[in-house]
Amino acid sequence: MRRRHLSQSLELPLSDRHEKETRQAWVYRCVRERIVSGELRRGDRLPSTRTLAERWGVSRGIVELAFEQLTLEGYVASRVGAGTEVVADLPRARASAHADTEAAGEAIATTDPLPENAASLASKTGRSPDAGLFSLPVWRKHMNRALRAVTPELLADTDPRGYLPLRESIARYVRMTRGIACEAAEIVVTTGIRHAIDLVTEVLADDATVFYLEDPGYKNLSSLIRAPLHRCVSVPVDEEGFVVAAADRAGAGRAGIAYVTPAHQAPLGTTMSINRRMQLLEWAAARDVWIVEDDYDSEFSYGSAPLPALRAIDTQARVIHCSSFNKTLFPSLRIGYLLAPPALLARIAGLRSASGRANSLIEQMALASYIDAGDFARHLRASRSVYLRRRNLLLETLRARMPSPCRITGDHAGFHCVLWLPPRGDEAALVATLREQGVFVEGLREFAHAQTMAPALVLGYAALEDARLPEIATCIALAIDTAGAV
């Protein structure tokens, strides 16, 4: 008697289809969820696409596209004459890791919370994009297009800079919106701005490199660049931005790397003036300083178009321009880019390749299609309008509820602004009080390293629902009034 394949009798239960979920996404999700949960394990044979299509009431083509996506992501594999079987070994890997931990005598408290990352903190404060504004049906269209277009030759592409059509799309975009005359050959695709900083640091830094860091600035930057504090120069920021004269004095003219956020300084919100930009470029050329330009939120300028990027006016090839689609689309996309000067391009691209921190080809293909079809521009226009409305809701309520006029800066762009407290205000106590009430704000001094800052609150709004913003603003105003800080 001929042996029956398991797939001939295997019955896969069908989950409910989500609202607005495409049939292909539905089939993909139903199979993937059972693999991830351990219901389907390595070696299990899946039903044939014909059988599954008949049982689930969808076309065979839809099932085949879902299986292609599962294959590309490493969950299943197909062989001619043998069908499709699960190749992922997720539950066993977890069990093995748990057994190894127990054998080592380590006690794990399963109720302990996982450490919170920067993206999670930014989401709590509202200083992150609202993923709910991102159109999943539109993205699925481009993902499906990528899955249909991918070839074995593309899968074998090993260009260390990333997928060429995406780099071409990025080059067109930055030429038009950031004023940077560049070509695709100068662009390296990264997983985000942190990855770009990591690459630049690995390529340029040695045991003597000095890092010129904005202060206040990014909270964990010194840890990210893995530099001892004695080589991190705290550079103050005034109303024109990074104070070049202070950097030169503190660094004693030493060569190094300067990290700046010219479009919308993090966290003060200052836009670096054109005069200060020219001073910075002249200083960098004279002192052999490389400049890392973090252009993290220039797309969200509410009053007028932003100034051209610092890289756009760099005639000495000292600026490494970095940006990320994680801020403009959704945090887990993990696609960003950097524009490398010719002297650094080969080394940065080589390190990206050697590090193994590459990006999914399918998602790179989908993003290139998304940009070229105009969907990226449409998303930016729509989300910019929403973020502007949310900013206005927050500020209008604050100004109406505050017992005394409040000074707010940095509100012309981005996802956050700064509310300045009177000199006698207790910033730390106010932050603690608000967090106890479920209002997650940050104190400006949390971002300072060596500089002494006046008390202020950093207020995010982009990722917060419209209905909550008046409530949040009222809580902030009442807390300030109760604390007697006005």
Side-chain angles (χ1 to χ4, degrees):
M1 180 178 177
R2 186 171 61 89
R3 182 183 176 187
R4 297 176 62 203
H5 286 296
L6 179 61
S7 60
Q8 292 179 308
S9 58
L10 183 65
E11 187 77 39
L12 290 184
L14 185 61
S15 303
D16 290 336
R17 185 177 168 193
H18 295 166
E19 185 179 358
K20 297 182 179 179
E21 189 176 36
T22 65
R23 286 183 172 86
Q24 181 190 328
W26 178 41
V27 172
Y28 164 83
R29 177 175 58 81
C30 289
V31 178
R32 180 186 177 279
E33 283 179 349
R34 280 159 180 79
I35 295 173
V36 172
S37 68
E39 297 171 37
L40 291 173
R41 300 187 180 183
R42 182 178 178 86
D44 285 350
R45 189 81 53 81
L46 297 182
S48 69
T49 55
R50 187 187 303 277
T51 299
L52 207 56
E54 290 174 355
R55 297 296 294 165
W56 285 7
V58 297
S59 73
R60 187 178 181 184
I62 284 174
V63 178
E64 287 173 344
L65 285 173
F67 274 26
E68 284 179 18
Q69 186 171 351
L70 290 162
T71 300
L72 289 170
E73 293 177 358
Y75 291 103
V76 303
S78 299
R79 287 184 296 154
V80 177
T84 303
E85 70 177 32
V86 178
V87 294
D89 197 17
L90 305 180
R92 188 179 302 172
R94 287 196 293 269
S96 176
H98 181 66
D100 289 345
T101 300
E102 287 188 333
E106 295 178 5
I108 299 178
T110 57
T111 56
D112 286 349
L114 292 171
E116 206 161 27
N117 60 27
S120 174
L121 290 171
S123 178
K124 277 187 177 182
T125 63
R127 292 193 300 107
S128 68
D130 184 351
L133 302 179
F134 184 73
S135 174
L136 286 173
V138 172
W139 182 245
R140 288 191 188 102
K141 177 186 71 176
H142 292 287
M143 287 288 285
N144 291 338
R145 182 177 297 168
L147 287 166
R148 289 193 296 270
V150 72
T151 64
E153 291 75 22
L154 284 174
L155 291 174
D157 183 19
T158 56
D159 192 315
R161 294 164 295 183
Y163 181 54
L164 175 58
L166 174 58
R167 292 188 285 115
E168 291 173 337
S169 300
I170 293 170
R172 286 191 293 271
Y173 172 72
V174 298
R175 284 197 298 265
M176 180 177 296
T177 63
R178 304 304 292 125
I180 302 173
C182 70
E183 301 299 333
E186 303 169 66
I187 291 172
V188 176
V189 178
T190 67
T191 62
I193 292 173
R194 292 186 184 187
H195 184 200
I197 294 171
D198 199 22
L199 290 172
V200 171
T201 302
E202 287 288 332
V203 165
L204 291 178
D206 57 28
D207 292 341
T209 300
V210 174
F211 293 87
Y212 297 90
L213 309 179
E214 294 176 326
D215 191 2
Y218 184 58
K219 287 183 182 179
N220 301 315
L221 185 57
S222 59
S223 299
L224 180 62
I225 61 179
R226 298 185 294 277
L229 291 178
H230 73 271
R231 288 199 281 117
C232 293
V233 176
S234 167
V235 181
V237 179
D238 64 14
E239 64 278 1
E240 292 191 72
F242 184 94
V243 181
V244 177
D248 197 48
R249 287 193 302 272
R254 289 175 290 172
I257 303 171
Y259 173 87
V260 295
T261 50
H264 190 238
Q265 200 274 336
L268 293 176
T270 303
T271 295
M272 189 181 293
S273 69
I274 187 63
N275 288 339
R276 190 62 60 80
R277 292 175 188 228
M278 296 307 298
Q279 291 175 18
L280 175 59
L281 292 172
E282 291 169 3
W283 169 73
R287 302 301 190 191
D288 192 22
V289 172
W290 294 98
I291 301 172
V292 176
E293 177 184 24
D294 182 344
D295 198 43
Y296 70 100
D297 69 354
S298 64
E299 289 86 356
F300 302 103
S301 185
Y302 306 121
S304 61
L307 290 172
L310 184 64
R311 170 68 185 262
I313 59 172
D314 174 25
T315 61
Q316 301 295 320
R318 307 301 304 178
V319 177
I320 301 122
H321 179 89
C322 309
S323 192
S324 171
F325 294 99
N326 307 329
K327 280 284 189 182
T328 50
L329 297 178
F330 55 93
S332 63
L333 178 59
R334 311 317 304 158
I335 297 180
Y337 59 92
L338 65 81
L339 277 74
L344 304 180
L345 178 61
R347 284 187 287 163
I348 288 176
L351 181 61
R352 173 191 181 271
S353 178
S355 70
R357 289 175 64 180
N359 310 79
S360 161
L361 173 67
I362 301 301
E363 289 183 334
Q364 289 185 77
M365 293 174 68
L367 182 56
S369 172
Y370 184 79
I371 295 171
D372 293 345
D375 289 318
F376 181 52
R378 281 186 280 273
H379 170 78
L380 289 180
R381 285 195 297 271
S383 54
R384 188 186 298 121
S385 176
V386 172
Y387 298 151
L388 173 60
R389 183 179 71 241
R390 291 176 178 175
R391 182 206 69 172
N392 290 343
L393 279 170
L394 177 71
L395 298 188
E396 287 167 5
T397 308
L398 274 175
R399 287 170 175 142
R401 300 292 187 186
M402 292 283 285
S404 299
C406 55
R407 178 182 170 233
I408 295 171
T409 62
D411 57 319
H412 61 283
F415 301 147
H416 74 276
C417 58
V418 178
L419 170 62
W420 296 90
L421 303 172
R424 66 177 180 274
D426 189 335
E427 177 189 295
L430 195 56
V431 168
T433 297
L434 287 167
R435 290 185 182 181
E436 287 174 2
Q437 298 174 15
V439 177
F440 202 95
V441 300
E442 296 167 287
L444 180 59
R445 289 168 180 168
E446 296 177 41
F447 297 83
H449 303 282
Q451 303 297 323
T452 300
M453 304 304 301
L457 301 180
V458 178
L459 306 180
Y461 49 80
L464 302 176
E465 296 177 357
D466 291 45
R468 283 203 66 210
L469 285 163
E471 174 192 342
I472 288 171
T474 299
C475 286
I476 293 170
L478 289 175
I480 292 172
D481 187 27
T482 302
V486 294

